[in-house]
mmCIF file of all heavy atoms in Angstrom:
data_model
loop_
_atom_site.group_PDB
_atom_site.id
_atom_site.type_symbol
_atom_site.label_atom_id
_atom_site.label_comp_id
_atom_site.label_asym_id
_atom_site.label_seq_id
_atom_site.Cartn_x
_atom_site.Cartn_y
_atom_site.Cartn_z
ATOM 1 N N MET A 1234 83.447 107.091 97.822
ATOM 2 C CA MET A 1234 83.031 107.930 96.716
ATOM 3 C C MET A 1234 84.096 107.872 95.626
ATOM 4 O O MET A 1234 85.275 108.114 95.880
ATOM 5 C CB MET A 1234 82.852 109.362 97.217
ATOM 6 C CG MET A 1234 82.445 110.310 96.143
ATOM 7 S SD MET A 1234 82.002 111.930 96.755
ATOM 8 C CE MET A 1234 83.572 112.725 96.790
ATOM 9 N N ASP A 1235 83.684 107.540 94.435
ATOM 10 C CA ASP A 1235 84.596 107.486 93.286
ATOM 11 C C ASP A 1235 84.519 108.797 92.513
ATOM 12 O O ASP A 1235 83.448 109.220 92.088
ATOM 13 C CB ASP A 1235 84.222 106.334 92.356
ATOM 14 C CG ASP A 1235 84.493 104.986 92.993
ATOM 15 O OD1 ASP A 1235 85.438 104.914 93.789
ATOM 16 O OD2 ASP A 1235 83.755 104.043 92.692
ATOM 17 N N VAL A 1236 85.671 109.419 92.354
ATOM 18 C CA VAL A 1236 85.760 110.676 91.607
ATOM 19 C C VAL A 1236 86.430 110.377 90.275
ATOM 20 O O VAL A 1236 87.493 109.756 90.253
ATOM 21 C CB VAL A 1236 86.586 111.719 92.401
ATOM 22 C CG1 VAL A 1236 86.729 113.001 91.606
ATOM 23 C CG2 VAL A 1236 85.954 111.987 93.747
ATOM 24 N N PRO A 1237 85.819 110.811 89.160
ATOM 25 C CA PRO A 1237 86.456 110.584 87.864
ATOM 26 C C PRO A 1237 87.803 111.311 87.784
ATOM 27 O O PRO A 1237 87.980 112.394 88.356
ATOM 28 C CB PRO A 1237 85.472 111.179 86.858
ATOM 29 C CG PRO A 1237 84.205 111.412 87.591
ATOM 30 C CD PRO A 1237 84.529 111.478 89.033
ATOM 31 N N LEU A 1238 88.742 110.708 87.069
ATOM 32 C CA LEU A 1238 90.080 111.281 86.943
ATOM 33 C C LEU A 1238 90.041 112.665 86.319
ATOM 34 O O LEU A 1238 90.726 113.580 86.776
ATOM 35 C CB LEU A 1238 90.969 110.352 86.120
ATOM 36 C CG LEU A 1238 92.391 110.830 85.873
ATOM 37 C CD1 LEU A 1238 93.131 110.999 87.187
ATOM 38 C CD2 LEU A 1238 93.123 109.853 84.968
ATOM 39 N N TRP A 1239 89.223 112.854 85.296
ATOM 40 C CA TRP A 1239 89.167 114.152 84.628
ATOM 41 C C TRP A 1239 88.690 115.246 85.576
ATOM 42 O O TRP A 1239 89.185 116.369 85.538
ATOM 43 C CB TRP A 1239 88.296 114.105 83.375
ATOM 44 C CG TRP A 1239 86.860 113.734 83.624
ATOM 45 C CD1 TRP A 1239 86.328 112.489 83.580
ATOM 46 C CD2 TRP A 1239 85.792 114.621 83.961
ATOM 47 N NE1 TRP A 1239 84.980 112.545 83.881
ATOM 48 C CE2 TRP A 1239 84.637 113.832 84.113
ATOM 49 C CE3 TRP A 1239 85.689 115.993 84.153
ATOM 50 C CZ2 TRP A 1239 83.397 114.389 84.456
ATOM 51 C CZ3 TRP A 1239 84.453 116.535 84.487
ATOM 52 C CH2 TRP A 1239 83.334 115.741 84.626
ATOM 53 N N LEU A 1240 87.764 114.917 86.466
ATOM 54 C CA LEU A 1240 87.277 115.901 87.429
ATOM 55 C C LEU A 1240 88.347 116.241 88.460
ATOM 56 O O LEU A 1240 88.553 117.412 88.790
ATOM 57 C CB LEU A 1240 86.015 115.389 88.122
ATOM 58 C CG LEU A 1240 85.396 116.320 89.159
ATOM 59 C CD1 LEU A 1240 84.995 117.643 88.512
ATOM 60 C CD2 LEU A 1240 84.209 115.656 89.818
ATOM 61 N N ALA A 1241 89.052 115.232 88.933
ATOM 62 C CA ALA A 1241 90.131 115.470 89.896
ATOM 63 C C ALA A 1241 91.228 116.328 89.274
ATOM 64 O O ALA A 1241 91.752 117.244 89.927
ATOM 65 C CB ALA A 1241 90.696 114.142 90.381
ATOM 66 N N LEU A 1242 91.581 116.066 88.017
ATOM 67 C CA LEU A 1242 92.614 116.858 87.346
ATOM 68 C C LEU A 1242 92.177 118.311 87.144
ATOM 69 O O LEU A 1242 92.984 119.227 87.316
ATOM 70 C CB LEU A 1242 92.971 116.229 86.000
ATOM 71 C CG LEU A 1242 93.734 114.910 86.074
ATOM 72 C CD1 LEU A 1242 93.916 114.335 84.685
ATOM 73 C CD2 LEU A 1242 95.056 115.097 86.764
ATOM 74 N N ILE A 1243 90.940 118.512 86.811
ATOM 75 C CA ILE A 1243 90.434 119.878 86.641
ATOM 76 C C ILE A 1243 90.485 120.632 87.965
ATOM 77 O O ILE A 1243 90.940 121.785 88.023
ATOM 78 C CB ILE A 1243 89.002 119.867 86.058
ATOM 79 C CG1 ILE A 1243 89.036 119.426 84.598
ATOM 80 C CG2 ILE A 1243 88.340 121.227 86.196
ATOM 81 C CD1 ILE A 1243 87.674 119.209 83.980
ATOM 82 N N VAL A 1244 90.036 120.004 89.037
ATOM 83 C CA VAL A 1244 90.028 120.664 90.347
ATOM 84 C C VAL A 1244 91.443 120.961 90.825
ATOM 85 O O VAL A 1244 91.745 122.073 91.274
ATOM 86 C CB VAL A 1244 89.263 119.801 91.382
ATOM 87 C CG1 VAL A 1244 89.440 120.338 92.787
ATOM 88 C CG2 VAL A 1244 87.791 119.727 91.015
ATOM 89 N N ILE A 1245 92.334 119.985 90.706
ATOM 90 C CA ILE A 1245 93.724 120.183 91.135
ATOM 91 C C ILE A 1245 94.405 121.259 90.276
ATOM 92 O O ILE A 1245 95.134 122.105 90.790
ATOM 93 C CB ILE A 1245 94.494 118.850 91.094
ATOM 94 C CG1 ILE A 1245 93.970 117.923 92.176
ATOM 95 C CG2 ILE A 1245 95.994 119.074 91.269
ATOM 96 C CD1 ILE A 1245 94.464 116.508 92.064
ATOM 97 N N GLY A 1246 94.156 121.225 88.980
ATOM 98 C CA GLY A 1246 94.722 122.247 88.095
ATOM 99 C C GLY A 1246 94.203 123.635 88.411
ATOM 100 O O GLY A 1246 94.967 124.606 88.461
ATOM 101 N N TRP A 1247 92.914 123.749 88.662
ATOM 102 C CA TRP A 1247 92.325 125.038 88.989
ATOM 103 C C TRP A 1247 92.896 125.572 90.300
ATOM 104 O O TRP A 1247 93.250 126.758 90.392
ATOM 105 C CB TRP A 1247 90.811 124.895 89.085
ATOM 106 C CG TRP A 1247 90.117 126.177 89.412
ATOM 107 C CD1 TRP A 1247 89.849 127.201 88.554
ATOM 108 C CD2 TRP A 1247 89.618 126.569 90.686
ATOM 109 N NE1 TRP A 1247 89.212 128.207 89.227
ATOM 110 C CE2 TRP A 1247 89.050 127.851 90.533
ATOM 111 C CE3 TRP A 1247 89.587 125.970 91.927
ATOM 112 C CZ2 TRP A 1247 88.464 128.534 91.589
ATOM 113 C CZ3 TRP A 1247 89.004 126.652 92.981
ATOM 114 C CH2 TRP A 1247 88.454 127.911 92.812
ATOM 115 N N LEU A 1248 93.001 124.701 91.310
ATOM 116 C CA LEU A 1248 93.580 125.131 92.585
ATOM 117 C C LEU A 1248 95.040 125.540 92.426
ATOM 118 O O LEU A 1248 95.485 126.518 93.029
ATOM 119 C CB LEU A 1248 93.465 124.013 93.626
ATOM 120 C CG LEU A 1248 92.079 123.803 94.222
ATOM 121 C CD1 LEU A 1248 92.069 122.558 95.103
ATOM 122 C CD2 LEU A 1248 91.630 125.023 94.999
ATOM 123 N N GLY A 1249 95.782 124.787 91.628
ATOM 124 C CA GLY A 1249 97.187 125.117 91.412
ATOM 125 C C GLY A 1249 97.368 126.465 90.743
ATOM 126 O O GLY A 1249 98.231 127.257 91.135
ATOM 127 N N VAL A 1250 96.544 126.750 89.756
ATOM 128 C CA VAL A 1250 96.641 128.039 89.062
ATOM 129 C C VAL A 1250 96.208 129.171 89.989
ATOM 130 O O VAL A 1250 96.829 130.229 90.030
ATOM 131 C CB VAL A 1250 95.799 128.018 87.766
ATOM 132 C CG1 VAL A 1250 95.650 129.408 87.188
ATOM 133 C CG2 VAL A 1250 96.436 127.084 86.754
ATOM 134 N N ARG A 1251 95.163 128.947 90.772
ATOM 135 C CA ARG A 1251 94.678 129.997 91.673
ATOM 136 C C ARG A 1251 95.663 130.272 92.809
ATOM 137 O O ARG A 1251 95.839 131.426 93.205
ATOM 138 C CB ARG A 1251 93.327 129.600 92.271
ATOM 139 C CG ARG A 1251 92.207 129.499 91.283
ATOM 140 C CD ARG A 1251 91.691 130.817 90.882
ATOM 141 N NE ARG A 1251 91.051 131.442 92.028
ATOM 142 C CZ ARG A 1251 90.518 132.624 92.032
ATOM 143 N NH1 ARG A 1251 90.535 133.324 90.940
ATOM 144 N NH2 ARG A 1251 89.975 133.133 93.105
ATOM 145 N N LEU A 1252 96.291 129.235 93.353
ATOM 146 C CA LEU A 1252 97.161 129.411 94.517
ATOM 147 C C LEU A 1252 98.588 129.788 94.139
ATOM 148 O O LEU A 1252 99.210 130.614 94.795
ATOM 149 C CB LEU A 1252 97.161 128.135 95.361
ATOM 150 C CG LEU A 1252 95.809 127.769 95.987
ATOM 151 C CD1 LEU A 1252 95.901 126.434 96.696
ATOM 152 C CD2 LEU A 1252 95.330 128.848 96.942
ATOM 153 N N ALA A 1253 99.134 129.178 93.091
ATOM 154 C CA ALA A 1253 100.535 129.418 92.730
ATOM 155 C C ALA A 1253 100.688 130.585 91.752
ATOM 156 O O ALA A 1253 101.753 131.170 91.670
ATOM 157 C CB ALA A 1253 101.147 128.157 92.133
ATOM 158 N N ARG A 1254 99.641 130.894 90.996
ATOM 159 C CA ARG A 1254 99.653 131.970 90.009
ATOM 160 C C ARG A 1254 100.833 131.906 89.038
ATOM 161 O O ARG A 1254 101.604 132.848 88.920
ATOM 162 C CB ARG A 1254 99.634 133.315 90.699
ATOM 163 C CG ARG A 1254 98.462 133.505 91.599
ATOM 164 C CD ARG A 1254 97.933 134.900 91.502
ATOM 165 N NE ARG A 1254 96.841 135.077 92.451
ATOM 166 C CZ ARG A 1254 95.571 135.124 92.088
ATOM 167 N NH1 ARG A 1254 95.250 135.009 90.834
ATOM 168 N NH2 ARG A 1254 94.641 135.298 92.982
ATOM 169 N N PRO A 1255 100.973 130.762 88.330
ATOM 170 C CA PRO A 1255 102.043 130.685 87.329
ATOM 171 C C PRO A 1255 101.674 131.544 86.118
ATOM 172 O O PRO A 1255 100.499 131.840 85.895
ATOM 173 C CB PRO A 1255 102.068 129.202 86.957
ATOM 174 C CG PRO A 1255 100.665 128.754 87.182
ATOM 175 C CD PRO A 1255 100.175 129.539 88.359
ATOM 176 N N PRO A 1256 102.669 131.936 85.334
ATOM 177 C CA PRO A 1256 102.354 132.695 84.115
ATOM 178 C C PRO A 1256 101.550 131.839 83.129
ATOM 179 O O PRO A 1256 101.698 130.616 83.079
ATOM 180 C CB PRO A 1256 103.714 133.044 83.531
ATOM 181 C CG PRO A 1256 104.744 132.425 84.401
ATOM 182 C CD PRO A 1256 104.089 131.755 85.541
ATOM 183 N N ALA A 1257 100.701 132.494 82.373
ATOM 184 C CA ALA A 1257 99.827 131.783 81.434
ATOM 185 C C ALA A 1257 100.641 131.002 80.408
ATOM 186 O O ALA A 1257 100.260 129.887 80.029
ATOM 187 C CB ALA A 1257 98.893 132.759 80.743
ATOM 188 N N TRP A 1258 101.764 131.550 79.943
ATOM 189 C CA TRP A 1258 102.557 130.856 78.938
ATOM 190 C C TRP A 1258 103.116 129.545 79.493
ATOM 191 O O TRP A 1258 103.231 128.573 78.765
ATOM 192 C CB TRP A 1258 103.681 131.739 78.404
ATOM 193 C CG TRP A 1258 104.722 132.105 79.421
ATOM 194 C CD1 TRP A 1258 104.754 133.234 80.171
ATOM 195 C CD2 TRP A 1258 105.861 131.331 79.805
ATOM 196 N NE1 TRP A 1258 105.843 133.203 81.013
ATOM 197 C CE2 TRP A 1258 106.536 132.054 80.801
ATOM 198 C CE3 TRP A 1258 106.382 130.101 79.409
ATOM 199 C CZ2 TRP A 1258 107.695 131.581 81.400
ATOM 200 C CZ3 TRP A 1258 107.535 129.637 80.010
ATOM 201 C CH2 TRP A 1258 108.185 130.370 80.985
ATOM 202 N N LEU A 1259 103.431 129.511 80.790
ATOM 203 C CA LEU A 1259 103.955 128.283 81.395
ATOM 204 C C LEU A 1259 102.883 127.202 81.440
ATOM 205 O O LEU A 1259 103.143 126.039 81.137
ATOM 206 C CB LEU A 1259 104.490 128.575 82.791
ATOM 207 C CG LEU A 1259 105.098 127.400 83.546
ATOM 208 C CD1 LEU A 1259 106.291 126.831 82.785
ATOM 209 C CD2 LEU A 1259 105.514 127.834 84.938
ATOM 210 N N VAL A 1260 101.677 127.578 81.793
ATOM 211 C CA VAL A 1260 100.566 126.622 81.814
ATOM 212 C C VAL A 1260 100.312 126.069 80.420
ATOM 213 O O VAL A 1260 100.158 124.859 80.230
ATOM 214 C CB VAL A 1260 99.291 127.294 82.375
ATOM 215 C CG1 VAL A 1260 98.097 126.373 82.268
ATOM 216 C CG2 VAL A 1260 99.508 127.734 83.817
ATOM 217 N N ILE A 1261 100.320 126.929 79.420
ATOM 218 C CA ILE A 1261 100.073 126.501 78.035
ATOM 219 C C ILE A 1261 101.186 125.579 77.550
ATOM 220 O O ILE A 1261 100.920 124.544 76.932
ATOM 221 C CB ILE A 1261 99.922 127.725 77.118
ATOM 222 C CG1 ILE A 1261 98.643 128.469 77.479
ATOM 223 C CG2 ILE A 1261 99.925 127.330 75.660
ATOM 224 C CD1 ILE A 1261 98.502 129.821 76.837
ATOM 225 N N VAL A 1262 102.431 125.925 77.840
ATOM 226 C CA VAL A 1262 103.567 125.091 77.413
ATOM 227 C C VAL A 1262 103.509 123.715 78.069
ATOM 228 O O VAL A 1262 103.725 122.690 77.411
ATOM 229 C CB VAL A 1262 104.905 125.796 77.720
ATOM 230 C CG1 VAL A 1262 106.079 124.842 77.615
ATOM 231 C CG2 VAL A 1262 105.096 126.972 76.790
ATOM 232 N N LEU A 1263 103.201 123.657 79.358
ATOM 233 C CA LEU A 1263 103.122 122.365 80.047
ATOM 234 C C LEU A 1263 101.983 121.505 79.510
ATOM 235 O O LEU A 1263 102.150 120.298 79.300
ATOM 236 C CB LEU A 1263 102.964 122.576 81.553
ATOM 237 C CG LEU A 1263 104.195 123.088 82.275
ATOM 238 C CD1 LEU A 1263 103.856 123.383 83.735
ATOM 239 C CD2 LEU A 1263 105.339 122.101 82.181
ATOM 240 N N LEU A 1264 100.821 122.104 79.293
ATOM 241 C CA LEU A 1264 99.685 121.342 78.765
ATOM 242 C C LEU A 1264 99.945 120.856 77.341
ATOM 243 O O LEU A 1264 99.714 119.686 77.026
ATOM 244 C CB LEU A 1264 98.412 122.200 78.801
ATOM 245 C CG LEU A 1264 97.822 122.468 80.170
ATOM 246 C CD1 LEU A 1264 96.666 123.448 80.054
ATOM 247 C CD2 LEU A 1264 97.368 121.185 80.823
ATOM 248 N N LEU A 1265 100.430 121.739 76.497
ATOM 249 C CA LEU A 1265 100.698 121.369 75.104
ATOM 250 C C LEU A 1265 101.845 120.366 75.023
ATOM 251 O O LEU A 1265 101.768 119.387 74.266
ATOM 252 C CB LEU A 1265 101.016 122.616 74.287
ATOM 253 C CG LEU A 1265 101.173 122.424 72.791
ATOM 254 C CD1 LEU A 1265 99.899 121.841 72.203
ATOM 255 C CD2 LEU A 1265 101.510 123.737 72.133
ATOM 256 N N GLY A 1266 102.896 120.590 75.806
ATOM 257 C CA GLY A 1266 104.025 119.660 75.811
ATOM 258 C C GLY A 1266 103.631 118.274 76.287
ATOM 259 O O GLY A 1266 104.041 117.265 75.708
ATOM 260 N N GLY A 1267 102.836 118.206 77.336
ATOM 261 C CA GLY A 1267 102.373 116.909 77.831
ATOM 262 C C GLY A 1267 101.496 116.192 76.824
ATOM 263 O O GLY A 1267 101.602 114.982 76.632
ATOM 264 N N TYR A 1268 100.633 116.950 76.163
ATOM 265 C CA TYR A 1268 99.767 116.357 75.137
ATOM 266 C C TYR A 1268 100.579 115.808 73.969
ATOM 267 O O TYR A 1268 100.333 114.704 73.480
ATOM 268 C CB TYR A 1268 98.767 117.403 74.651
ATOM 269 C CG TYR A 1268 97.875 116.928 73.551
ATOM 270 C CD1 TYR A 1268 96.807 116.092 73.825
ATOM 271 C CD2 TYR A 1268 98.105 117.294 72.232
ATOM 272 C CE1 TYR A 1268 95.977 115.642 72.808
ATOM 273 C CE2 TYR A 1268 97.292 116.854 71.216
ATOM 274 C CZ TYR A 1268 96.226 116.030 71.506
ATOM 275 O OH TYR A 1268 95.429 115.580 70.504
ATOM 276 N N LEU A 1269 101.562 116.585 73.526
ATOM 277 C CA LEU A 1269 102.377 116.151 72.394
ATOM 278 C C LEU A 1269 103.284 114.982 72.759
ATOM 279 O O LEU A 1269 103.492 114.069 71.957
ATOM 280 C CB LEU A 1269 103.207 117.320 71.861
ATOM 281 C CG LEU A 1269 102.403 118.432 71.199
ATOM 282 C CD1 LEU A 1269 103.306 119.593 70.834
ATOM 283 C CD2 LEU A 1269 101.657 117.913 69.994
ATOM 284 N N LEU A 1270 103.836 114.980 73.969
ATOM 285 C CA LEU A 1270 104.693 113.866 74.391
ATOM 286 C C LEU A 1270 103.908 112.571 74.558
ATOM 287 O O LEU A 1270 104.425 111.489 74.319
ATOM 288 C CB LEU A 1270 105.389 114.202 75.709
ATOM 289 C CG LEU A 1270 106.662 115.015 75.605
ATOM 290 C CD1 LEU A 1270 107.178 115.327 76.997
ATOM 291 C CD2 LEU A 1270 107.708 114.295 74.802
ATOM 292 N N ALA A 1271 102.652 112.669 74.975
ATOM 293 C CA ALA A 1271 101.837 111.479 75.193
ATOM 294 C C ALA A 1271 101.571 110.731 73.887
ATOM 295 O O ALA A 1271 101.303 109.530 73.912
ATOM 296 C CB ALA A 1271 100.521 111.860 75.852
ATOM 297 N N ASP A 1272 101.649 111.424 72.774
ATOM 298 C CA ASP A 1272 101.361 110.800 71.482
ATOM 299 C C ASP A 1272 102.620 110.679 70.623
ATOM 300 O O ASP A 1272 102.529 110.514 69.422
ATOM 301 C CB ASP A 1272 100.294 111.606 70.739
ATOM 302 C CG ASP A 1272 99.650 110.819 69.633
ATOM 303 O OD1 ASP A 1272 99.561 109.579 69.765
ATOM 304 O OD2 ASP A 1272 99.236 111.419 68.631
ATOM 305 N N SER A 1273 103.793 110.749 71.238
ATOM 306 C CA SER A 1273 105.031 110.695 70.473
ATOM 307 C C SER A 1273 105.697 109.326 70.618
ATOM 308 O O SER A 1273 105.226 108.463 71.349
ATOM 309 C CB SER A 1273 105.998 111.783 70.949
ATOM 310 O OG SER A 1273 106.511 111.445 72.219
ATOM 311 N N PHE A 1274 106.823 109.164 69.956
ATOM 312 C CA PHE A 1274 107.568 107.912 70.060
ATOM 313 C C PHE A 1274 108.225 107.768 71.435
ATOM 314 O O PHE A 1274 108.679 106.687 71.794
ATOM 315 C CB PHE A 1274 108.618 107.833 68.950
ATOM 316 C CG PHE A 1274 109.734 108.839 69.088
ATOM 317 C CD1 PHE A 1274 110.907 108.495 69.745
ATOM 318 C CD2 PHE A 1274 109.605 110.115 68.578
ATOM 319 C CE1 PHE A 1274 111.934 109.418 69.889
ATOM 320 C CE2 PHE A 1274 110.616 111.035 68.707
ATOM 321 C CZ PHE A 1274 111.790 110.688 69.364
ATOM 322 N N LEU A 1275 108.269 108.839 72.209
ATOM 323 C CA LEU A 1275 108.829 108.786 73.562
ATOM 324 C C LEU A 1275 107.838 108.268 74.605
ATOM 325 O O LEU A 1275 108.214 108.022 75.737
ATOM 326 C CB LEU A 1275 109.305 110.181 73.985
ATOM 327 C CG LEU A 1275 110.445 110.773 73.181
ATOM 328 C CD1 LEU A 1275 110.683 112.205 73.610
ATOM 329 C CD2 LEU A 1275 111.695 109.950 73.339
ATOM 330 N N ALA A 1276 106.583 108.121 74.226
ATOM 331 C CA ALA A 1276 105.547 107.717 75.172
ATOM 332 C C ALA A 1276 105.866 106.387 75.884
ATOM 333 O O ALA A 1276 105.693 106.299 77.097
ATOM 334 C CB ALA A 1276 104.194 107.649 74.481
ATOM 335 N N PRO A 1277 106.326 105.334 75.187
ATOM 336 C CA PRO A 1277 106.641 104.097 75.907
ATOM 337 C C PRO A 1277 107.763 104.269 76.935
ATOM 338 O O PRO A 1277 107.710 103.689 78.034
ATOM 339 C CB PRO A 1277 107.062 103.123 74.801
ATOM 340 C CG PRO A 1277 106.421 103.642 73.574
ATOM 341 C CD PRO A 1277 106.398 105.131 73.739
ATOM 342 N N ALA A 1278 108.763 105.068 76.616
ATOM 343 C CA ALA A 1278 109.858 105.292 77.569
ATOM 344 C C ALA A 1278 109.365 106.069 78.784
ATOM 345 O O ALA A 1278 109.738 105.765 79.920
ATOM 346 C CB ALA A 1278 110.998 106.038 76.886
ATOM 347 N N ILE A 1279 108.533 107.059 78.558
ATOM 348 C CA ILE A 1279 107.981 107.839 79.672
ATOM 349 C C ILE A 1279 107.085 106.952 80.526
ATOM 350 O O ILE A 1279 107.131 107.005 81.755
ATOM 351 C CB ILE A 1279 107.215 109.061 79.128
ATOM 352 C CG1 ILE A 1279 108.171 110.015 78.432
ATOM 353 C CG2 ILE A 1279 106.467 109.767 80.239
ATOM 354 C CD1 ILE A 1279 107.487 111.112 77.660
ATOM 355 N N ASN A 1280 106.281 106.130 79.881
ATOM 356 C CA ASN A 1280 105.389 105.225 80.607
ATOM 357 C C ASN A 1280 106.183 104.264 81.481
ATOM 358 O O ASN A 1280 105.822 104.007 82.626
ATOM 359 C CB ASN A 1280 104.511 104.469 79.624
ATOM 360 C CG ASN A 1280 103.395 103.723 80.304
ATOM 361 O OD1 ASN A 1280 103.006 104.066 81.408
ATOM 362 N ND2 ASN A 1280 102.875 102.705 79.639
ATOM 363 N N THR A 1281 107.274 103.732 80.962
ATOM 364 C CA THR A 1281 108.118 102.817 81.736
ATOM 365 C C THR A 1281 108.743 103.543 82.915
ATOM 366 O O THR A 1281 108.789 103.001 84.027
ATOM 367 C CB THR A 1281 109.208 102.227 80.844
ATOM 368 O OG1 THR A 1281 108.596 101.553 79.738
ATOM 369 C CG2 THR A 1281 110.068 101.236 81.609
ATOM 370 N N ALA A 1282 109.204 104.752 82.709
ATOM 371 C CA ALA A 1282 109.859 105.506 83.785
ATOM 372 C C ALA A 1282 108.859 105.897 84.874
ATOM 373 O O ALA A 1282 109.203 105.893 86.050
ATOM 374 C CB ALA A 1282 110.529 106.742 83.217
ATOM 375 N N VAL A 1283 107.643 106.200 84.486
ATOM 376 C CA VAL A 1283 106.641 106.649 85.449
ATOM 377 C C VAL A 1283 106.066 105.489 86.258
ATOM 378 O O VAL A 1283 105.805 105.609 87.444
ATOM 379 C CB VAL A 1283 105.516 107.411 84.731
ATOM 380 C CG1 VAL A 1283 104.336 107.674 85.646
ATOM 381 C CG2 VAL A 1283 106.040 108.713 84.155
ATOM 382 N N HIS A 1284 105.920 104.334 85.627
ATOM 383 C CA HIS A 1284 105.262 103.203 86.284
ATOM 384 C C HIS A 1284 106.239 102.196 86.889
ATOM 385 O O HIS A 1284 105.919 101.012 86.988
ATOM 386 C CB HIS A 1284 104.344 102.507 85.299
ATOM 387 C CG HIS A 1284 103.109 103.294 85.027
ATOM 388 N ND1 HIS A 1284 102.988 104.086 83.905
ATOM 389 C CD2 HIS A 1284 101.961 103.454 85.726
ATOM 390 C CE1 HIS A 1284 101.822 104.670 83.943
ATOM 391 N NE2 HIS A 1284 101.188 104.311 85.033
ATOM 392 N N LYS A 1285 107.395 102.629 87.312
ATOM 393 C CA LYS A 1285 108.326 101.702 87.961
ATOM 394 C C LYS A 1285 107.989 101.527 89.405
ATOM 395 O O LYS A 1285 107.439 102.290 90.070
ATOM 396 C CB LYS A 1285 109.760 102.204 87.829
ATOM 397 C CG LYS A 1285 110.355 101.770 86.548
ATOM 398 C CD LYS A 1285 111.845 101.968 86.594
ATOM 399 C CE LYS A 1285 112.427 101.317 85.356
ATOM 400 N NZ LYS A 1285 113.831 101.361 85.313
#
């Protein structure tokens, strides 16, 4: 069974928020920070570090 990546991320994120109960500001900062970093000049360096 092939599960789309977006669906897996939603399920894992929902479970993480329900089980760990992080503060809302932390979730927002992580999501916004990840979105902004993915489109920045640091993206190639992050990609290289992650895919080693």
Side-chain angles (χ1 to χ4, degrees):
M1234 179 172 87
D1235 291 329
V1236 178
L1238 179 61
W1239 61 268
L1240 180 60
L1242 290 175
I1243 289 173
V1244 170
I1245 291 169
W1247 180 78
L1248 284 173
V1250 168
R1251 294 283 293 178
L1252 296 175
R1254 302 219 183 255
W1258 65 265
L1259 181 61
V1260 174
I1261 292 169
V1262 166
L1263 288 174
L1264 289 174
L1265 186 59
Y1268 177 77
L1269 292 174
L1270 276 177
D1272 198 30
S1273 72
F1274 68 93
L1275 296 173
I1279 295 170
N1280 191 23
T1281 302
V1283 170
H1284 286 99
K1285 274 194 171 184

